[in-house]
Amino acid sequence: MSTKKTIRRREFMAASAGLAVAGLAASQRATAATAKLAIDGGAKAVTATSTAPPRFGAPELERLTEMVKQDALFYWKGPQTAIFKERFQAMCPLEHVMTCTSGTAALHIAVAATGLVPGDEVITSPITDVGTVIGIIYQQGVPVFADLGANTLTLDPADVERRITPRTKAIIAVHLAGNPSKMTELRAIADKHGLVLIEDACQAWGAKYRGKPIGTLGDIACWSLQNSKHITTGDGGVVASSHPVLGPKLQPFGDKGFNRSEGKWQGFSTNYRMSEPQAAVLAGQMTRLEGIASSRAKLGNLLNAEISGIPGITPHEVHAEDRCVYWLNMFRIDPAAFTVDRGQIYKALRAEGVPCSPGYIPVPVHRSDVFKNHAFFNGHWTIKEAGMTDMDYTKVETPEAEAILKTGMRVFIKEYMTEEQILQFAAGIRKVAAHYKA
Ligand SMILES: *Cc1c(COP(=O)(O)O)cnc(C)c1O
């Protein structure tokens, strides 16, 4: 067993170094093809387990203990909020940092700060949490969906550029799954056309683009603290920017339009303030982030290396100099390479013990009923009815995004998993792929 593990480790090292290990891979494939699937009564590929440690403990308790000694639990000049900001800026040195109630709120604040007016367009990803586009619609803007890279699952810059019109105001680059978007290309497009570049980093806490922290590449960046994200306050969000004009707008937009530094009400917006109890938990969570992000990056990369070269399977594509933090890892299945459909491959993988799930959201955002019916405001879409946009979501085509959702398989990576587990997930994928090979 230890020999097997050593060989797989060596294979991983060789694969990451780009060396050929064809002989080893071929013999391994032969073994995999003859092994009986767990779904047919064979032995499971995955036997290793790990236990999720508590997500909250001493660091959060320390902040909460200090917090209950305070006389006020309001965010402005709040000590817990201040400690969070210090810790956040140590990770991501952005000047203006506004805590808020959700990732959706963070994105709404960011969109409002762009200066978008009714009918303006914002180009973004059709595979994302709907929270990415909610703020655009509330500001009477028009979400425009561009297609994605087949294996990066992030915006295809060439398609973004094709969808630019005189009404385009901004681009929201979603770092889906924690994989940094193609920021050099998107930055160049944004600069060329005078657009604001927003980063949706809700799934990308701790990610890095060419060594730089995610959030420092665009003009404004947004994070979610919802329970499923890398770090959490149950619900919550952060929006931040170093932009000299846009940055100072974040605080008032999250606070009913009230500019607290200047003590004046300067505009119309809603209340998205985060209170001190949540900021205390958040400040504690920040001490865990680097460990969570680096572990997920290592485990997700290991899975990619282990499953690369399996016929019919294409691993998640991550740039070698980037740090993807794998909120999820998604490989794609070539339907022509297998005798069964994705549903059967999924069932077989689950039987082997691989924690996975087919696709992500059911359909691209614009294929949902709400979008197809343009039914945002109790069945109405004011700007369309007023002739301020001719957007028709039933006519929007993003073929790669459709294909990703039909042929993608999500593998759930957790920071506390062991390398042995990941190697066994890969063995399970290899075994199932070999068995159903067309
Ligand atoms: C979670 C998420 C959001 C929304 O965040 P909430 O805190 O749930 O409002 C937006 N975009 C992406 C990519 C997300 O994963």
Side-chain angles (χ1 to χ4, degrees), residues 293-320:
S294 61
S295 176
R296 286 195 182 225
K298 186 185 68 181
L299 297 174
N301 288 343
L302 175 59
L303 183 69
N304 288 345
E306 284 285 308
I307 66 173
S308 75
I310 300 177
I313 301 277
T314 312
H316 210 136
E317 183 187 325
V318 174
H319 193 281

Side-chain angles (χ1 to χ4, degrees), residues 101-107 127-133 174-177 200-203 223-229 234-237 327 360:
T101 49
S102 68
T104 305
L107 284 148
I127 300 185
T128 187
D129 182 281
V130 71
T132 305
V133 297
V174 179
H175 305 311
L176 197 77
D200 178 343
C202 290
Q203 300 181 4
W223 287 263
S224 168
L225 294 159
Q226 189 271 335
N227 195 59
S228 71
K229 308 298 158 88
D235 262 313
W327 189 62
Y360 171 40

Side-chain angles (χ1 to χ4, degrees), residues 78-421:
Q80 306 312 319
T81 302
I83 289 171
F84 159 69
K85 277 187 196 171
E86 256 169 47
R87 292 178 182 178
F88 177 87
Q89 286 167 330
M91 172 199 80
C92 183
L94 293 173
E95 198 182 330
H96 306 272
V97 183
M98 178 65 177
T99 48
C100 57
T101 49
S102 68
T104 305
L107 284 148
H108 189 173
I109 293 168
V111 166
T114 65
L116 170 141
V117 297
D120 280 353
E121 297 170 355
V122 180
I123 301 175
T124 193
S125 167
I127 300 185
T128 187
D129 182 281
V130 71
T132 305
V133 297
I134 284 174
I136 306 171
I137 292 164
Y138 268 107
Q139 289 306 117
Q140 312 299 338
V142 182
V144 172
F145 297 99
D147 215 348
L148 305 180
N151 302 105
T152 59
L153 317 182
T154 58
L155 282 175
D156 167 10
D159 198 50
V160 168
E161 194 155 29
R162 279 194 288 275
R163 301 197 194 230
I164 290 174
T165 74
R167 293 309 302 268
T168 309
K169 186 74 191 178
I171 300 167
I172 302 180
V174 179
H175 305 311
L176 197 77
N179 194 21
S181 307
K182 294 197 182 266
M183 295 308 286
T184 305
E185 293 86 341
L186 293 174
R187 180 78 267 175
I189 292 169
D191 290 347
K192 181 173 152 196
H193 298 272
L195 311 178
V196 178
L197 181 55
I198 298 170
E199 296 183 62
D200 178 343
C202 290
Q203 300 181 4
W205 279 102
K208 289 181 184 166
Y209 177 83
R210 311 297 190 264
K212 296 194 187 97
I214 275 302
T216 59
L217 291 312
D219 298 305
I220 311 176
C222 306
W223 287 263
S224 168
L225 294 159
Q226 189 271 335
N227 195 59
S228 71
K229 308 298 158 88
H230 295 78
I231 56 171
T232 185
T233 56
D235 262 313
V238 179
V239 56
S241 170
S242 284
H243 193 284
V245 179
L246 307 181
K249 294 181 176 180
L250 304 180
Q251 180 278 318
F253 270 118
D255 193 350
K256 296 189 275 190
F258 195 73
N259 185 327
R260 300 244 164 220
S261 318
E262 293 173 18
K264 73 166 198 263
W265 191 66
Q266 64 178 41
F268 181 80
S269 71
T270 183
N271 177 358
Y272 282 142
R273 297 180 305 232
M274 175 191 276
S275 70
E276 282 276 281
Q278 277 182 303
V281 173
L282 176 53
Q285 287 276 290
M286 285 305 289
T287 65
R288 302 174 189 268
L289 177 57
E290 180 52 29
I292 292 170
S294 61
S295 176
R296 286 195 182 225
K298 186 185 68 181
L299 297 174
N301 288 343
L302 175 59
L303 183 69
N304 288 345
E306 284 285 308
I307 66 173
S308 75
I310 300 177
I313 301 277
T314 312
H316 210 136
E317 183 187 325
V318 174
H319 193 281
E321 292 160 59
D322 290 352
R323 183 207 249 179
C324 172
V325 290
Y326 298 96
W327 189 62
L328 53 87
N329 179 306
M330 186 184 272
F331 65 80
R332 287 190 64 183
I333 296 168
D334 172 7
F338 299 101
T339 56
V340 294
D341 67 7
R342 181 179 64 165
Q344 181 61 26
I345 292 173
Y346 163 65
K347 282 186 204 148
L349 288 173
R350 288 304 289 218
E352 295 298 338
V354 180
C356 61
S357 179
Y360 171 40
I361 54 174
V363 287
V365 175
H366 58 280
R367 290 271 184 258
S368 62
D369 285 344
V370 175
F371 271 82
K372 281 193 301 192
N373 298 327
H374 308 106
F376 305 114
F377 298 101
N378 293 329
H380 293 269
W381 192 16
T382 328
I383 54 168
K384 190 167 167 67
E385 288 165 17
M388 298 168 84
T389 179
D390 54 9
M391 174 56 77
D392 180 349
Y393 289 112
T394 65
K395 299 211 165 76
V396 174
E397 299 288 346
T398 54
E400 198 59 59
E402 304 266 348
I404 289 167
L405 293 173
K406 286 186 184 129
T407 63
M409 187 71 72
R410 262 186 298 170
V411 181
F412 300 103
I413 305 279
K414 305 283 184 194
E415 57 277 6
Y416 51 82
M417 285 174 170
T418 63
E419 287 189 17
E420 189 188 12
Q421 277 181 288

Side-chain angles (χ1 to χ4, degrees), residues 41-65:
K44 286 173 80 162
V46 182
T47 52
T49 57
S50 55
T51 316
R55 294 176 85 186
F56 314 101
E60 292 77 18
L61 201 53
E62 180 197 307
R63 290 293 98 226
L64 287 164
T65 306

